[in-house]
Amino acid sequence: MSNQQTFLRDAMRRLNMTREAFATRIGVSRRALDTWLLPDDSQESRSMPEIVERFVSEILQHQTETTQSVHKHQSLADAIAFEGRPQLLSVDQFSRESVEALFLVADIMQPIARRQKISRVLEGAVLGNLFFEASTRTRVSFGAAFCRLGGSVCDTTGFTFSSMAKGESIYDTSRVMAGYVDALVVRHPEQGSVAEFARATNIPVINAGDGPGEHPSQALLDLYTIQREFSRLGKLVDGAHIALVGDLKYGRTVHSLSKLLALYKGIKLTLVAPPGLEMPSYVIERLGKHDMVIEQTDDLEKGLAGADVVYATRIQKERFQNESFEGYRPDFQINKALIDSACGADTMIMHPLPRDGRPDANDLSTDLNLDPRLAIFRQTDNGIPVRMAIFATLMGVDGQVQRSMRDATWRRPAMVGPDDAVFHGID
Ligand code: NCD
């Protein structure tokens, strides 16, 4: 995609404007704007005049200053602090303004995440990655994000090989680790346990999943992905119809994501779960306090109809207590036939991954792999800039990143995945 198209799409996303509203704001016809947004090889494509570019840049500059002035007397880290400390335990710590401010930091991180630039703002800092539960992408993406800012990572995985298996308390483990490292990322099978870790130390602690509780960094990268994809499609998050599908009872990613979406206006949320695996009532009660329409069903075809986003999740069998296998049904699979019949050409299909890719699994089918609506790898890619933004913010270097950047010198492929769509190439 040319710079012109990226520039205009980014501008619309940052300003939260539809094409129509944006064209009006910058005083051009909708048709002119459309021609500037067309791919370079299209016959109708036109270059936008330089004066328009300057005007849009000024509007963006003004908007950035306004967003920053929301926190004039307070840094972003202070605005989202957990009990006064720079820690991230729940999406409840965010307002719409602070989410948008974090996404601006994530945007700054994109050239580093895409391996065009390097930065060493966290040089000398050490991250402790403590995963007492299974993980691949969350652990590695937190580690890679920290390394890409110049820090180093110490990892531990599994419960059996940790001192907790010898009866050590969370308090002791947390205090000991705080003497070794400068920030902690913790995943633990019990809800509320990561907050216990956080209370036992003053260093930054990030919740990477506390049992069926929350997974705030996943929800942030999900919302960031929705915003970026919507800007390409000319849609806004406000007023969107989002279907959350699968094990909504134990899936922590949907608990965090639904609460984050509640910060936006006029969202319609359709909750599609097999009987027995519905969204917990404490989450629904919280959502009910917001300007949000909530519908619940166990009928996949009905629930997906007209959705702008289908967010599928895995059945969390490892957390089942009395549910046995009642959540399993032969017809509960999101596959190409279902998406083609219930959804439109603009529907985004998301999943936090891992998905159960076996042929009859009650999960997101692999037959959608080459479908451009499938956003799952764009989602995982966005995990890096978002997690970099979280670290930079909590560790107080978010303001230094921009001027710290140098060119990356190693050779990199034009696209990281062989089937990636053009708009998601590295450049
Ligand atoms: C999820 C998790 O651990 O909650 N994975 C992830 O972090 N992306 C989802 C899952 O395990 O199903």
Side-chain angles (χ1 to χ4, degrees), residues 134 137-138 187 215 218 252-253 314 316 318 352-354:
R137 84 214 72 247
T138 305
R187 172 173 283 189
H215 195 348
Q218 179 71 43
R252 54 197 169 198
T253 65
R314 182 178 64 86
Q316 312 272 307
E318 71 277 24
L353 301 181

Side-chain angles (χ1 to χ4, degrees), residues 2-8 28-50 52-53:
S2 81
N3 286 338
Q4 171 176 307
Q5 293 150 46
T6 314
F7 173 76
L8 289 169
V28 303
S29 70
R30 168 69 199 265
R31 227 198 93 56
L33 176 62
D34 285 347
T35 60
W36 303 335
L37 283 161
L38 286 170
D40 295 339
D41 55 8
S42 152
Q43 288 211 330
E44 308 273 292
S45 154
R46 298 283 176 277
S47 301
M48 95 182 131
E50 208 190 307
V52 175
E53 185 180 338

Side-chain angles (χ1 to χ4, degrees), residues 274-324:
L277 296 176
E278 292 92 355
M279 184 70 95
S281 52
Y282 75 90
V283 180
I284 306 242
E285 273 161 34
R286 273 288 310 278
L287 300 177
K289 298 198 176 108
H290 296 262
D291 166 26
M292 189 178 235
V293 176
I294 302 170
E295 284 175 0
Q296 298 199 63
T297 175
D298 67 347
D299 183 327
L300 261 184
E301 182 131 18
K302 226 171 77 193
L304 266 51
D308 296 299
V309 177
V310 173
Y311 188 99
T313 61
R314 182 178 64 86
I315 306 286
Q316 312 272 307
K317 205 171 57 183
E318 71 277 24
R319 302 199 198 287
F320 277 17
Q321 285 163 354
N322 315 316
E323 287 84 359
S324 66

